[in-house]
Amino acid sequence: MVDPDGGPAGLYTYDEDEPEEAPAPRIRLKRVAIISGSIAAAALLISGVIYGPTVFRVLGQSDTEIKSPAKVGNFTLDTSAGAKDTAEYIRDAIATKVNLDTSYGLIYHDGKSDAILVAGTARIWKPADALKSAFDVVTDDSGGVRDVHDVDADSLGGTVRCGATKVDDADLSVCGWADNGSLGVALFSSRSVADSAKSILDLRSAVEHRS
């Protein structure tokens, strides 16, 4: 048979009774490719909108540094060996549970009450969950922290919460903060939860520094 365009026989066959193959499948495949690409682009855009701010916030707070000032308001840092041993014990438990990169155990006195503060830095993706874990550690043998409530975090942001617990038949106020770059928990003796909420904000602003 001869090719209708004059080419060699056998390379092309033509039958007037046989309909041409419709190009629809190729068109459909092209449309599928376009639609799939659009969906992927939309998914990427949505993920950037949803997760982007969190990523930027985490990276922005990754250079947080913890300091230990000698005085914070009426509080004075206790540098005695006994204070250091007590603070170290609690610091190690919290740092292990929350996976803190760097951490410090500090004890402050103001003449009326004590504040045992553990503060550290890490890349924290879920601050509220990390703070709950830290609360669980410091009250492991006392039935947990009761009446936990949020406190206005002020300009440093993140999550700040306070509650109360009982240790050796003594009531303690428990307050803490967590953001994407740091976490801190303080146990206050002889201080109401309301007053402890103010104190944790003062302690946080004094020890947490972002570059």
Side-chain angles (χ1 to χ4, degrees), residues 146-151 160-163 193-194 197:
R146 65 181 185 274
D147 302 325
V148 176
H149 60 277
D150 290 330
V151 175
V160 179
R161 289 176 178 164
C162 286
V193 175

Side-chain angles (χ1 to χ4, degrees), residues 75 107-116 165 167 170-174 186-193 195-196 199:
F75 283 108
I107 294 185
Y108 286 92
H109 307 286
D110 70 349
K112 297 179 181 179
S113 63
D114 300 329
I116 303 176
T165 190
V167 176
D171 286 326
L172 294 177
S173 296
V174 183
L187 299 172
F188 297 92
S189 65
S190 304
R191 185 176 291 263
S192 69
V193 175
D195 287 341
S196 299
S199 297

Side-chain angles (χ1 to χ4, degrees), residues 67-81:
K67 297 184 178 181
S68 54
K71 287 189 69 67
V72 179
N74 293 327
F75 283 108
T76 300
L77 180 64
D78 187 342
T79 58
S80 66

